[in-house]
């Protein structure tokens, strides 16, 4: 005999097995709907906070340029923000979309609004994302530098220490011997990694572009390096240090030439070897060697870090061994 429920005015009057299962499922469904509504409410409140933060920044930028044209002719309107940074912004404003923009989109909006680091982090926090931690400064930076200096002093490779602006903070003797640069640290006080790459007054430039193959590698590393720098510091482009650093590097025509160029992923691979003419032993003979660059950080922060160089071919191994003798 089949077991079937019997209904009376919507209430089960016999055989409670199936009704109890259905009652349980209905309760689970109700709880799920309540959870969804709660999550939607939280999401809506977060979205309201994000939009309020964006609108506050947008209006502030309009007021900043109320009496003068923007260098890029930005008007900081809602439509312009939608067109240039966030394609769903008008939908968010009109309630047609309830999804908080992802972290990358929030950073794009901050970049369009020319936010400072503090403004960008406030926007990220409003959207529920982790902020971008600022670079170390003061005593914290000095402590971090001391830690990487200790590593540098015992590193059996040519290497240098750089900060977040890629300013050179220290080099070891093997580095100065490989690239034939002064060993005293005062020489590097105002130098940037880009100076060594682009400045024709230093031997690194000419010895890295001695033939067509080496020039191609030099050029690809220039493009990759600039692109990486732009990507790492996407959220810092309104910071005074970034503007100052960029203005100083604009003195190099090749830097300007490659600034808007993107790496060709179909050709050379990022992080591949480099070429340079290096001195073999105590003779005046220069030989081409291949080497590659690695990064070494001492703590949780990306900078300060060590840029060290590894030999790739047999000639490079010989030269590197002689640097330590």
């Amino acid at each position: 005999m089949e077991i079937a429920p019997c209904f009376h005015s919507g209430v089960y009057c016999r055989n409670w097995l199936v009704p109890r299962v259905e009652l349980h499922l209905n309760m689970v469904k109700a709880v799920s709907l309540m959870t969804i509504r709660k999550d939607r409410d939280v999401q809506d409140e977060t979205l309201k906070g994000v939009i309020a933060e964006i609108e506050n920044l947008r209006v502030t930028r309009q007021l900043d340029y109320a009496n003068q044209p923007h260098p890029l002719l930005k008007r900081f309107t809602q439509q312009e923000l939608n067109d240039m940074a966030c394609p769903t912004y008008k939908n968010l404003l009109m309630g047609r979309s309830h999804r908080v923009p992802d972290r990358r989109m929030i950073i794009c909006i901050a970049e369009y609004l020319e936010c400072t680091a503090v403004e960008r982090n406030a926007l990220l926090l409003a959207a529920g994302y982790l902020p971008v931690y600022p670079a170390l400064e003061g005593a914290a930076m000095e402590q971090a530098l001391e830690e990487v200096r200790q590593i540098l002093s015992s590193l059996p490779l040519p290497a240098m220490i750089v900060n977040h602006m890629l300013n050179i903070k220290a080099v070891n003797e093997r580095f100065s011997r490989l690239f034939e640069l002064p060993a005293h640290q005062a020489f590097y006080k105002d130098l940037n990694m880009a100076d060594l790459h682009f400045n024709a007054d230093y031997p690194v430039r000419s010895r890295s572009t001695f033939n067509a193959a080496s020039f191609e590698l030099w050029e690809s590393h220039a493009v990759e390096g600039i692109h990486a720098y732009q990507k790492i510091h996407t959220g810092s482009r309104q910071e005074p240090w970034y503007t100052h650093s960029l203005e100083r590097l604009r003195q190099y025509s090749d830097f300007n030439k490659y600034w808007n160029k993107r790496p060709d992923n179909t050709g050379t691979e990022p992080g591949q070897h480099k070429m340079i003419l290096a001195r073999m032993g105590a003779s005046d003979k220069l030989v081409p060697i291949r080497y590659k660059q690695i990064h070494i950080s001492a703590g949780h922060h990306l900078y300060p870090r060590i840029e060290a160089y590894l030999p790739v071919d047999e000639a490079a191994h010989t030269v590197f061994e002689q640097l330590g003798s």
Side-chain angles (χ1 to χ4, degrees):
M1 184 175 68
E2 293 184 357
I3 300 175
C6 179
F7 299 92
H8 179 70
S9 299
V11 178
Y12 297 115
C13 59
R14 296 186 53 187
N15 201 329
W16 288 84
L17 179 60
V18 174
R20 282 181 177 177
V21 172
E22 291 188 359
L23 180 61
H24 175 72
L25 291 175
N26 288 335
M27 290 177 64
V28 170
K29 184 177 180 180
V31 171
S32 298
L33 289 173
M34 290 174 63
T35 302
I36 291 172
R37 291 193 189 100
K38 185 177 180 180
D39 291 342
R40 171 63 68 83
D41 291 342
V42 171
Q43 187 175 20
D44 286 347
E45 286 301 313
T46 300
L47 185 57
K48 288 179 182 178
V50 172
I51 292 176
E53 192 74 30
I54 292 173
E55 284 298 293
N56 180 58
L57 290 166
R58 187 185 63 78
V59 173
T60 299
R61 292 298 173 267
Q62 282 187 329
L63 294 176
D64 289 342
Y65 291 96
N67 299 316
Q68 59 179 329
H70 187 275
L72 299 178
L73 301 180
K74 285 184 182 179
R75 294 175 296 140
F76 295 106
T77 63
Q78 292 175 342
Q79 186 62 53
E80 187 179 72
L81 191 156
N82 186 92
D83 296 340
M84 296 183 65
C86 180
T88 62
Y89 191 64
K90 293 297 287 289
N91 287 335
L92 294 173
L93 289 172
M94 300 179 70
R96 289 198 292 257
S97 175
H98 299 273
R99 179 174 297 179
V100 176
D102 62 26
R103 192 174 189 274
R104 180 177 295 183
M105 183 62 68
I106 292 293
I107 291 178
C108 287
I109 294 172
E111 185 176 355
Y112 162 76
L113 292 172
E114 302 179 357
C115 293
T116 64
V118 174
E119 291 171 335
R120 178 202 61 220
N121 283 343
L123 189 54
L124 285 168
L125 287 170
Y129 301 121
L130 288 174
V132 177
Y133 291 103
L136 294 175
E137 295 179 346
M141 171 58 87
E142 287 304 317
Q143 181 179 351
L145 281 172
E146 183 56 34
E147 291 176 359
V148 291
R149 284 192 189 103
Q150 292 179 11
I151 299 174
L152 181 70
S153 64
S154 60
L155 198 64
L157 295 167
M160 61 179 166
I161 298 173
V162 298
N163 64 7
H164 62 289
M165 294 181 284
L166 301 187
N167 291 336
I168 300 173
K169 308 304 291 184
V171 304
N172 61 11
E173 184 178 355
R174 295 170 191 254
F175 178 93
S176 58
R177 290 182 64 183
L178 174 64
F179 298 110
E180 296 195 9
L181 294 167
H184 55 87
Q185 301 301 318
F187 172 78
Y188 302 93
K189 181 182 177 182
D190 299 316
L191 280 189
N192 186 280
M193 282 184 66
D195 291 312
L196 299 184
H197 196 85
F198 293 107
N199 195 327
D201 294 334
Y202 302 132
V204 180
R205 169 65 189 271
S206 60
R207 293 185 184 179
S208 299
T209 54
F210 56 91
N211 60 19
S214 62
F215 179 81
E216 183 178 352
L217 284 173
W218 175 89
E219 187 175 49
S220 69
H221 282 290
V223 173
E224 290 163 5
I226 290 174
H227 181 64
Y229 187 78
Q230 292 170 334
K231 187 175 181 180
I232 290 172
H233 297 303
T234 296
S236 303
R237 295 181 184 179
Q238 305 306 316
E239 296 301 302
W241 66 260
Y242 185 89
T243 304
H244 175 74
S245 177
L246 196 57
E247 287 176 352
R248 197 178 73 77
L249 295 176
R250 290 289 190 186
Q251 66 179 300
Y252 302 119
S253 58
D254 283 333
F255 182 87
N256 296 319
K257 175 183 177 181
Y258 301 129
W259 177 254
N260 292 318
K261 192 172 183 180
R262 291 293 175 263
D264 181 9
N265 295 327
T266 61
T268 57
E269 292 295 328
Q272 67 168 26
H273 69 265
K274 304 180 180 184
M275 292 179 66
I276 194 170
L277 291 175
R279 205 169 298 280
M280 183 76 77
S283 68
D284 290 332
K285 182 181 179 182
L286 293 172
V287 296
I289 66 170
R290 299 174 185 269
Y291 66 101
K292 61 182 179 180
Q293 184 174 332
I294 60 172
H295 316 298
I296 304 173
S297 296
H300 297 298
H301 286 79
L302 186 60
Y303 297 98
R305 74 184 185 190
I306 294 174
E307 303 292 339
Y309 301 94
L310 298 173
V312 172
D313 58 14
E314 185 176 347
H317 278 279
T318 301
V319 169
F320 277 48
E321 289 175 3
Q322 294 171 346
L323 292 175
S325 60

